Amino acid sequence: MNTLSDRVKQATCHKLPNPCGAHLVARALKRHGVEVMFGQSLPSALYLVAAEFGIRQIAYRTENAGGAMADGYARATNKVAVVTAQNGPAAALLVGPLSEALKASVPIVAIVQDVRRTQTDKNAFQELEHFDILRGCAKWVRRVTELSRIEDYVDMAFTAAASGRPGPAVLLCPQDLLLEAVKGVLPESRRAALGTYPLDRSLADSAQIEHAAQLLAQANNPLVVAGGGVHLSRAHEALAELQHRVSLPVATTAMGKGAVDERHPLSVGVIGYFMGKRGMARHLRPLVDEADVILFVGARTNQNGTDSWTLFPKTARYIHIDIDGQEVGRNYEAMRLIGDAKLTLSALTQALAKQDLAKRSGARAALEKTIAAARNAFRDEADSATRSDAAPIRPERLMRELNALLKPESLVVSDASYSPIWAANYLTAQRGGMRFLAGRGLAGLGWGLPAALGVKVAHPDRDVFCITGDGGFAHVWSELETAKRMGIKVTVLVLNNQILGYQWHAEDVLYGDHTDACQLGPVDHAAIARACGCEGIRVEKPADFKPALDRAAQSHVTTVIDVMIDPKAYPPITLYEGRIGF
């Protein structure tokens, strides 16, 4: 019989009942494969017993950053991440990162300590109506009130987070429940491990798959658009097989970047709202415009990914593979292939093998030639920026230097605003499954650094680079102390132009002027890093950037490279075409 007493092996100094409710929670988390929790000291009882189950605590400075750490960890591992918070203001700070996770389909279980059961609705300290706040940013919100139901509710939380379309789940645990002593022997009543995703893989309807295969085989100009769902499903190999065997061109969204090897002769690159001047896929716009059958895979068809729903032709036929039936047909009426991306892509490839693929193979040489010519045109168009020796520095130059150092196993995390656009256009996915993580669910500033820390916790043996602007970095400076204290090493590139670049440029384009808030004061981010015990390097000349990267690689702590970039450098956003004022 596996009792709590059997599992609690090491002596502890705390005065908690042994075992108590906190032990039940920790035991259930361990069963689901949880090795790390992101949280401060509360729920204190849970953290006091977590070490007994081999669960490590990563103690963040702020809850909004802790939620982003959990987000990055989950994306990098395909494990359900766990973040914790106290009731009241701490729980409220989880709204931002949980909302990002909800929109980006990232599974997180948030364990929130609630007031004691006997103090509910008595204006207890920091009591808050958590249900009203958290329902809008989570798939599932519940409160457990009985010791005998803890395992049930923990399992429900993990099931909600990892099944179907992944997303965050919130479990409220009253403080006194965690402290309550377990009377008698309480063996584990559950055995299932529910901590990885996709928890359940389902296959789309076979008749629909056969019909989709016919459409793709007979199309004149088919196109595959891969979104972030390919990463969530780990469908990279299935997509690569479809691309190669059926000779289909594959484009990706920003969230889907890395779904395929971008060096493959049939890879289009990242498409969406940044196909303007000096954009990676700018010269392949005709290929998108002329597509007659478009296959979306795990894509939300959101505003940015479709250039405000103007990118794809109205005359095209659409096929959409997605685990979430509500996303299919949301913006483009499509043939519905509701199922797991990996299984459904594999089945689609098998169905296509039964079709006459002469049309596809016959068009391949010309298609590869078109894509190669477009890549060359992009390189020629961007050459002056990627090789610029000007100071302040061009971001394109920085990306070229970073791209040369990336390995297939490297991980790149981009904050909101311009950072993911530079990464999408100027960094190259060297294999299917290479990760370029970006907070594109809600695209809130400040996600990048804490998410990168979570990614590094997940993969301590791999290089993790964070690209952020000075505006976004200011939201989370404090987490540099977390990085130092917790021994987490990442390389942070701060693109410092002393403005809120996206806001400044977009306001100038749309309104002919910009608000006062766009101008930021000068900040020495390298000095802040050093004050926190990290490395800090300030770069003002292009030639100094590569040595700074080399120094960061040799360091044993997080390094902030504060790069002074040109405030007039803007990425290839289509809104700016012919309208930018400089």
Side-chain angles (χ1 to χ4, degrees), residues 70-309:
D71 185 345
Y73 181 89
R75 295 193 202 199
T77 59
N78 272 61
K79 293 182 179 180
V80 179
V82 177
V83 65
T84 66
Q86 185 184 359
N87 52 289
L93 284 174
L94 286 178
V95 170
L98 293 185
S99 297
E100 166 66 33
L102 181 68
K103 298 292 286 186
S105 306
V106 179
I108 296 172
V109 169
I111 298 176
V112 175
Q113 177 173 290
D114 207 350
V115 299
R116 292 171 177 264
R117 288 166 291 182
T118 56
Q119 297 175 349
T120 301
D121 294 327
K122 294 184 70 174
N123 289 330
F125 180 64
Q126 295 188 334
E127 183 179 14
L128 190 65
E129 184 46 72
H130 296 105
F131 286 93
D132 289 345
I133 290 176
L134 297 170
R135 278 196 184 102
C137 62
K139 290 177 63 179
W140 181 94
V141 184
R142 296 290 191 278
R143 188 172 190 256
V144 56
T145 59
E146 303 294 334
L147 281 178
S148 62
R149 299 300 308 281
I150 284 178
E151 282 191 317
D152 299 344
Y153 275 91
V154 171
D155 281 23
M156 282 190 276
F158 275 78
T159 300
S163 63
R165 179 176 178 171
V170 180
L171 181 60
L172 304 172
C173 295
Q175 180 188 12
D176 59 320
L177 178 69
L178 296 173
L179 300 174
E180 184 177 338
V182 176
K183 297 177 181 179
V185 176
L186 191 60
E188 282 187 296
S189 60
R190 292 175 172 267
R191 296 287 186 270
L194 306 170
T196 58
Y197 68 96
L199 185 57
D200 311 298
R201 291 189 185 270
S202 58
L203 181 61
D205 180 77
S206 58
Q208 290 286 80
I209 292 172
E210 294 290 340
H211 189 189
Q214 293 172 9
L215 283 179
L216 289 166
Q218 297 167 8
N220 293 317
N221 301 297
L223 175 68
V224 179
V225 180
V230 174
H231 292 300
L232 294 170
S233 175
R234 288 294 197 263
H236 315 108
E237 292 183 5
L239 181 58
E241 184 180 17
L242 178 72
Q243 179 184 42
H244 179 69
R245 288 183 58 183
V246 190
S247 302
L248 291 174
V250 178
T252 74
T253 65
M255 290 279 286
K257 184 177 176 69
V260 291
D261 186 338
E262 289 179 332
R263 301 169 302 178
H264 190 283
L266 289 176
S267 291
V268 173
V270 181
I271 62 174
Y273 73 112
F274 39 73
M275 295 173 73
K277 186 177 180 180
R278 297 187 303 276
M280 171 193 245
R282 168 184 173 83
H283 299 282
L284 287 170
R285 184 78 185 234
L287 185 149
V288 179
D289 293 339
E290 295 166 8
D292 60 341
V293 176
I294 297 175
L295 170 63
F296 292 123
V297 185
R300 292 178 294 157
T301 64
N302 64 348
Q303 182 174 11
N304 289 347
T306 63
D307 200 4
S308 295
W309 307 284

Side-chain angles (χ1 to χ4, degrees), residues 35 51 60 64 96 194 217 260 272 304 336 426 508 545 561:
E35 298 174 331
Y60 53 69
N64 54 320
L194 306 170
V260 291
N304 289 347
R336 301 173 62 81
Y426 290 94
D508 276 357
F545 183 60
I561 305 177

Side-chain angles (χ1 to χ4, degrees), residues 307-318:
D307 200 4
S308 295
W309 307 284
T310 65
L311 180 60
F312 302 111
K314 295 180 180 179
T315 56
R317 294 286 302 275
Y318 293 93

